[in-house]
């Protein structure tokens, strides 16, 4: 594995989503909920997408959910992603009611299924961590997240 | 009810080559504009409404007017990817109806192929500047085709759709492409060795790009260009060709939301609008020009427009039901579509052009005297943010 080619990482300075990524460094998977109408908002913003309120509260997800859909990427011209082919990109429905894009790791792509229960795992980088997911059945025997550290 | 005869497409031109050398995209647009106006029997300065999808960068509005040398009274740069031209058609009809303009010009020019834009599986990680969207999505390595693959995967899960059924869409469009000399020459020019008909097995044995989509489930990447001229009812009698009246239009935007059903597209909304305006039903459509970025795009759109029930798209497209010479269903993408004719990035203009050819009786896979042809553009990405534009044309 080459560590020379680096993975594209999110910016901590992006105003709407920066706080989400800052929290990942302490392995917190955050989402927002409107204090006025209780709508769960994701991706992070500064307003409620249901009622327009600007009063959103941050919550920490338990990090478990179900795979809504997925694909196995077998071609990507990007230097980093081409080095990890094939890999799984998925949409996961978290139990708290938000849907997020992520990677399903530590399991063979062919074994990943829609409807599978998954749990967050963390890939640690300098100033943030990426919330990837692993199937819950495999999670018990999965290697600790620290083994996935790239930099 | 609105009149079906307020505005019509009176001029069309499609650039014949799929690999274009030594021309700028703006030059391609201007050449197509000149020939579409000639087709209509209208002059360059008759144009008083200009539409641009911004495929050649920012400032499209003033750059287009300046480059063409036009002074439009109406300028519209609605940019919703491949569906932009269906939106433009809707807007042009409105502007003409309101008396703001008489002759609208839509143009498109792209050298995506020659610039080697790897659109579907490119290495680009969207914009350099972070925004809320790309800051949440760039880390996961989702290529464009992956969005569509997730839609397909979910559709299979919910409805039992099979890879074989998806492949049928590519088989049908290739069947039509083999009858279109520009498409066949284009396939050769793009370096595709097998330019004949495809079988389901051909599609399934082509390389997997993003499960469950194979290379032959994906559109081509070509150069290309085109232009469409729309005129009001007062101008139509002085044009040269059979008008294709704009009987109904619909526009809608869809995006991923928590708990939303991602097997549905915004076509459910745009289609209902267009059919309502035209006061017809899907059964009345003779030719369906459906944006075919990928096979799944067609299957889901046909369902959402109401050609078949939700979830039954797989069996609907099977057994050549949508071939131009098959009785029953509408003829699908009779020019060969984006899958087998051309796809320079935003294909919406070619859907309109081929629908007009059918109304005029000039398609290479001509349906017998079609009364209604539908053009449906899909811009953006399924399972994500996307735009749906539906246009129904009538004789």
């Amino acid at each position: 594995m080459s560590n020379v080619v680096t993975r594209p990482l999110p910016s901590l300075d992006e105003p709407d989503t920066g706080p989400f990524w800052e929290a990942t460094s302490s392995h917190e998977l955050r989402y927002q909920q409107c204090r006025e109408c209780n709508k769960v908002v994701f991706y992070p913003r500064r307003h409620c997408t249901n009622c327009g309120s600007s009063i959103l509260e941050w919550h920490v997800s338990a990090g478990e959910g179900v795979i809504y859909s997925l694909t196995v990427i077998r071609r990507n011209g990007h230097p980093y992603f081409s080095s990890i082919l094939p890999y799984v990109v998925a949409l996961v429905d978290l139990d708290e009611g938000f849907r997020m894009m992520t990677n399903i790791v530590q399991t063979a792509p062919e074994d990943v299924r829609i409807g599978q229960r998954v749990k967050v795992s963390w890939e640690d980088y300098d100033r943030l961590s990426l919330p990837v997911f692993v199937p819950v059945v495999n999670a018990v025997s999965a290697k600790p997240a620290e083994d996935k550290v790239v930099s | 009810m609105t009149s079906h005869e307020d505005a019509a497409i009176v001029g069309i031109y499609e650039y014949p080559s799929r690999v274009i050398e030594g021309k700028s995209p703006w030059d391609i647009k201007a050449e197509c504009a000149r020939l579409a106006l000639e087709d209509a029997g209208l002059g360059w300065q008759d144009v008083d409404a200009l539409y641009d999808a911004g495929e050649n960068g920012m400032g499209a509005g003033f750059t287009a007017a300046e480059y063409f040398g036009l002074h439009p009274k109406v300028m519209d740069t609605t940019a919703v990817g491949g569906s932009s031209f269906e939106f433009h058609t809707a807007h042009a009809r409105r502007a003409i109806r309101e008396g703001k303009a008489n002759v609208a010009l839509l143009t498109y020019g792209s050298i995506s192929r020659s610039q080697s834009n790897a659109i579907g599986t490119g290495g680009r990680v969207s914009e350099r500047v972070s925004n809320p969207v790309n800051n949440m999505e760039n880390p996961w390595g989702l290529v464009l085709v992956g969005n569509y693959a997730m839609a397909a995967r979910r559709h299979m899960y919910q409805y039992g759709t099979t890879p074989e059924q998806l492949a049928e869409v590519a088989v049908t469009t290739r069947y039509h492409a083999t009858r279109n000399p520009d498409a066949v020459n284009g396939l050769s020019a793009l370096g595709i060795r097998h330019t004949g008909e495809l079988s389901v097995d051909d599609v399934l044995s082509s390389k997997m790009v993003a499960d469950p989509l194979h290379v032959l489930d994906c559109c081509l990447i070509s150069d290309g260009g085109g232009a469409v001229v729309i005129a009001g009812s007062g101008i139509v009698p002085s044009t040269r060709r059979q008008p294709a009246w704009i009987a109904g239009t619909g526009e809608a935007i869809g995006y991923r939301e928590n708990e939303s059903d991602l097997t549905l597209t915004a076509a459910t909304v745009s289609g209902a609008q267009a059919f309502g305006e035209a006061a017809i039903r899907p059964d009345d459509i003779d030719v369906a020009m459906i944006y075919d970025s990928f096979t799944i795009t067609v299957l889901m759109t046909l369902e959402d427009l109401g050609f078949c029930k939700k979830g039954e798209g797989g069996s609907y497209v099977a057994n050549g039901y949508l071939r131009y010479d098959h009785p029953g269903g509408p003829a699908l993408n009779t020019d060969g579509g984006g899958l087998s004719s051309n796809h320079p990035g935003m294909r919406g203009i070619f859907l309109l052009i081929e629908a007009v050819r059918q109304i005029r009786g000039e398609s290479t896979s001509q349906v017998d005297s079609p009364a209604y042809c539908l053009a449906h553009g899909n811009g953006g990405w399924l399972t994500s943010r996307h735009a749906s534009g539906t246009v129904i044309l009538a004789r």
Side-chain angles (χ1 to χ4, degrees), chain A residues 48-87:
Chain A
C48 172
T49 53
N50 182 49
C51 73
S53 162
S54 61
I55 308 173
L56 297 181
E57 285 179 332
W58 287 100
H59 297 279
V60 179
S61 165
E64 285 203 31
V66 171
I67 295 177
Y68 177 79
S69 195
L70 70 115
T71 182
V72 184
I73 304 293
R74 298 184 186 275
R75 271 200 209 180
N76 188 335
H78 184 278
Y80 171 78
F81 291 111
S82 69
S83 76
I84 62 164
L85 293 171
Y87 58 92

Side-chain angles (χ1 to χ4, degrees), chain A residues 15-98:
Chain A
D16 285 4
T17 59
F20 170 89
W21 290 112
E22 271 173 32
T24 63
S25 63
S26 44
H27 292 185
E28 278 184 7
L29 183 65
R30 286 206 193 177
Y31 66 99
Q32 295 170 304
Q33 191 166 20
C34 177
R35 199 185 286 173
E36 310 275 338
C37 76
N38 291 324
K39 165 90 173 177
V40 172
V41 176
F42 195 89
Y43 51 88
R45 268 158 278 198
R46 306 280 184 99
H47 70 278
C48 172
T49 53
N50 182 49
C51 73
S53 162
S54 61
I55 308 173
L56 297 181
E57 285 179 332
W58 287 100
H59 297 279
V60 179
S61 165
E64 285 203 31
V66 171
I67 295 177
Y68 177 79
S69 195
L70 70 115
T71 182
V72 184
I73 304 293
R74 298 184 186 275
R75 271 200 209 180
N76 188 335
H78 184 278
Y80 171 78
F81 291 111
S82 69
S83 76
I84 62 164
L85 293 171
Y87 58 92
V88 176
V89 178
L91 296 172
V92 170
D93 284 339
L94 277 296
D95 293 346
E96 292 84 358
F98 66 98

Side-chain angles (χ1 to χ4, degrees), chain A residues 7-8 10-11 14 16-18 20-21 39-44 67-78 81 87 89-91 93 97-103 112-115 130-132, chain B residues 121-125 130-143 145-147 149-155 157-158 207-212 215 256-263 383 385:
Chain A
R7 180 172 194 142
S11 163
E14 198 288 307
D16 285 4
T17 59
F20 170 89
W21 290 112
K39 165 90 173 177
V40 172
V41 176
F42 195 89
Y43 51 88
I67 295 177
Y68 177 79
S69 195
L70 70 115
T71 182
V72 184
I73 304 293
R74 298 184 186 275
R75 271 200 209 180
N76 188 335
H78 184 278
F81 291 111
Y87 58 92
V89 178
L91 296 172
D93 284 339
F98 66 98
R99 180 174 288 170
M100 70 174 287
M101 193 184 292
T102 185
N103 294 139
V112 183
R113 299 269 182 273
I114 291 175
L130 290 181
V132 295
Chain B
T121 59
R124 287 175 298 177
V125 174
S130 295
N131 62 50
V133 170
N134 69 23
N135 209 42
M136 297 303 290
E137 296 182 0
N138 280 355
W140 312 118
L142 184 67
V143 289
V145 53
N147 288 285
M150 287 200 291
R153 191 83 183 234
R154 185 71 197 184
H155 201 277
Y157 175 81
Q158 279 181 219
K207 239 180 176 175
M208 192 74 90
V209 180
D211 303 24
V215 168
R256 185 164 62 239
E257 295 179 89
N258 298 333
E259 296 170 7
S260 60
D261 181 349
L262 297 182
T263 66
T383 69
R385 56 208 69 88

Side-chain angles (χ1 to χ4, degrees), chain A residues 100-127:
Chain A
M100 70 174 287
M101 193 184 292
T102 185
N103 294 139
I104 309 297
V105 301
Q106 296 177 23
T107 190
E110 308 78 71
D111 296 338
V112 183
R113 299 269 182 273
I114 291 175
Q116 212 166 19
R117 199 146 175 86
V118 290
K119 186 180 188 309
V120 72
S121 174
W122 296 95
E123 287 193 5
D124 295 334
Y125 294 88
D126 279 348
R127 296 173 60 209

Side-chain angles (χ1 to χ4, degrees), chain B residues 331-356:
Chain B
L332 173 73
N333 299 355
T334 47
D335 60 343
L339 289 163
S340 276
S341 179
N342 63 347
H343 195 298
M346 299 183 190
R347 189 160 201 278
I349 201 161
F350 305 115
L351 306 173
L352 296 165
I353 290 171
E354 175 67 7
V356 172

Side-chain angles (χ1 to χ4, degrees), chain B residues 23-44:
Chain B
K23 288 192 178 185
S24 75
W26 287 104
D27 184 20
I28 296 167
K29 284 160 78 82
E31 183 175 341
C32 292
R34 177 172 60 79
L35 293 163
L37 284 163
E38 199 175 295
D39 180 54
L42 293 170
W44 193 255

Side-chain angles (χ1 to χ4, degrees), chain B residues 267-322:
Chain B
T268 53
V269 178
S270 69
Q273 284 174 15
F275 281 113
E277 272 190 15
I280 61 165
R281 301 182 315 134
D283 282 355
D284 299 316
I285 297 291
D286 300 297
V287 178
M289 294 299 302
I290 309 285
Y291 205 102
D292 56 349
S293 44
F294 301 93
T295 52
I296 185 63
T297 322
V298 174
L299 200 138
M300 281 170 50
T301 304
L302 286 167
E303 293 174 346
D304 292 349
L305 291 174
F307 284 100
C308 59
K309 283 192 189 142
K310 191 70 208 172
E312 294 180 3
S315 50
Y316 184 71
V317 301
N319 305 315
Y321 187 64
L322 302 181

